[in-house]
Amino acid sequence: MPYLDLASHRLHYRIDGDRSAAGKPWLMFCNSLGTDLHMWDAQAAALSQHHRVLRYDRRGHGRSSAPPPPYALSDFGKDVLSLLDALEIERTHFCGLSIGGLTGQWLGIHAGQRLGKIVVCATSARIGTAESWVARMEAVQENGLGGLTAATAERWFTPAFNAGQPGIVRDILYRFTATTVQGYIGGCAALATTDLREEITRITNPLLAVSGKEDPVCPPSDLESIAVRVRQGRHLSLPGRHIVNVESASAFNAALSEFLDD
Ligand SMILES: O=C(O)CC1=CCC(=O)O1
């Protein structure tokens, strides 16, 4: 299991596809709050035929360790750049969901030359409010992540998906409750202090914004707003709630391939 050891924490990552296949472009995925790199299993399986796929667990999530919170969005962006530098990856396409999509926006603003195309999913230039994230941090401090499981399932998937795909939902919620409290709180702190609404106009990379039609966290209007504010943006809405790449996996994979190959 490969890790990158940094000064304050270690990042767990995984490469699918032939790493030495120089003709294949890199495609990097970044997970959301309370998930790990397995949220991209369906995408890695489909896209690794034509790409070298790099996934990692954002700090404090999955098998990556959690430095003491709070974190800032720039910490997540710098973790990505550290991984790219360590793996000698000059340039990669980037796909992130929710806080992973905010990380993609930060990279587009501050390190656009390291990215090819950017895909941001179920995200916003500013997710929620500072007050809502402070309340979430307090709830997690008090009850741990287990206390949030039912509400999380409801935000992440439609009732039909929750009922129809219990195995997939169980697996993703198991990984949710396995997230460290420090890592989750650190992520909430970054969300409480992030507002990229002005800065995203500096993004020049081609960008695809993907929304879940019924996402109560980042509704389609948020993704549309990103697409119109960047230089070369487009927006696509797919059936599902917040974790739209899982709920609409086939359509998501098709859209991702089409956008990257275009
Ligand atoms: O509230 C949630 O669980 C959804 C979410 C907000 C930011 C993120 O990464 O996930």
Side-chain angles (χ1 to χ4, degrees):
M1 240 170 297
Y3 289 91
L4 173 65
D5 285 305
L6 298 168
S8 65
H9 60 293
R10 62 184 344 211
L11 293 174
H12 169 238
Y13 66 92
R14 171 176 169 152
I15 294 173
D16 293 278
D18 180 3
R19 181 180 172 171
S20 59
K24 290 187 183 175
W26 283 98
L27 168 60
M28 182 171 189
F29 288 100
C30 181
N31 60 300
S32 59
L33 187 68
T35 62
D36 65 17
L37 56 71
H38 289 289
M39 74 173 293
W40 303 110
D41 282 349
Q43 284 68 48
L47 276 290
S48 57
Q49 285 183 23
H50 300 294
H51 295 83
R52 290 178 278 180
V53 172
L54 169 62
R55 295 183 268 170
Y56 77 110
D57 292 326
R58 236 171 7 76
R59 54 168 69 194
H61 288 61
R63 292 175 188 271
S64 292
S65 65
Y71 311 148
L73 186 65
S74 56
D75 294 325
F76 301 133
K78 288 174 190 167
D79 282 349
V80 169
L81 295 174
S82 297
L83 254 181
L84 294 181
D85 289 345
L87 297 172
E88 298 181 345
I89 299 173
E90 191 75 33
R91 207 174 162 86
T92 179
H93 298 313
F94 187 92
C95 176
L97 190 138
S98 204
I99 199 170
L102 271 168
T103 305
Q105 294 170 64
W106 186 94
L107 288 162
I109 294 162
H110 297 280
Q113 76 285 357
R114 301 297 298 274
L115 305 187
K117 295 182 179 178
I118 304 175
V119 183
V120 297
C121 323
T123 190
S124 177
R126 174 176 179 255
I127 301 179
T129 60
E131 296 71 32
S132 68
W133 292 114
V134 169
R136 181 85 64 92
M137 285 190 263
E138 286 170 357
V140 173
Q141 287 281 24
E142 213 168 296
N143 304 313
L145 284 165
L148 299 184
T149 313
T152 297
E154 215 175 299
R155 283 193 308 279
W156 286 7
F157 302 112
T158 59
F161 193 84
N162 271 311
Q165 298 291 345
I168 296 178
V169 173
R170 201 176 319 117
D171 181 65
I172 208 158
L173 291 177
Y174 167 76
R175 294 172 192 284
F176 170 74
T177 50
T179 305
T180 62
V181 166
Q182 282 210 331
Y184 192 90
I185 285 178
C188 292
L191 288 159
T193 53
T194 295
D195 183 351
L196 300 179
R197 283 175 296 179
E198 295 302 322
E199 286 176 280
I200 54 169
T201 55
R202 286 164 41 199
I203 298 176
T204 56
N205 308 66
L207 179 147
L208 174 66
V210 183
S211 60
K213 283 188 176 139
E214 297 177 52
D215 185 352
V217 185
C218 301
S221 55
D222 286 4
L223 283 298
E224 177 64 21
S225 168
I226 294 173
V228 299
R229 289 180 71 74
V230 301
R231 213 70 68 78
Q232 304 183 66
R234 54 177 114 146
H235 171 218
L236 171 73
S237 202
L238 296 174
R241 286 197 178 167
H242 195 58
I243 311 288
V244 63
N245 70 303
V246 171
E247 184 151 1
S248 271
S250 302
F252 187 95
N253 292 350
L256 194 52
S257 295
E258 191 189 316
F259 176 65
L260 297 178
D261 295 346
D262 191 14

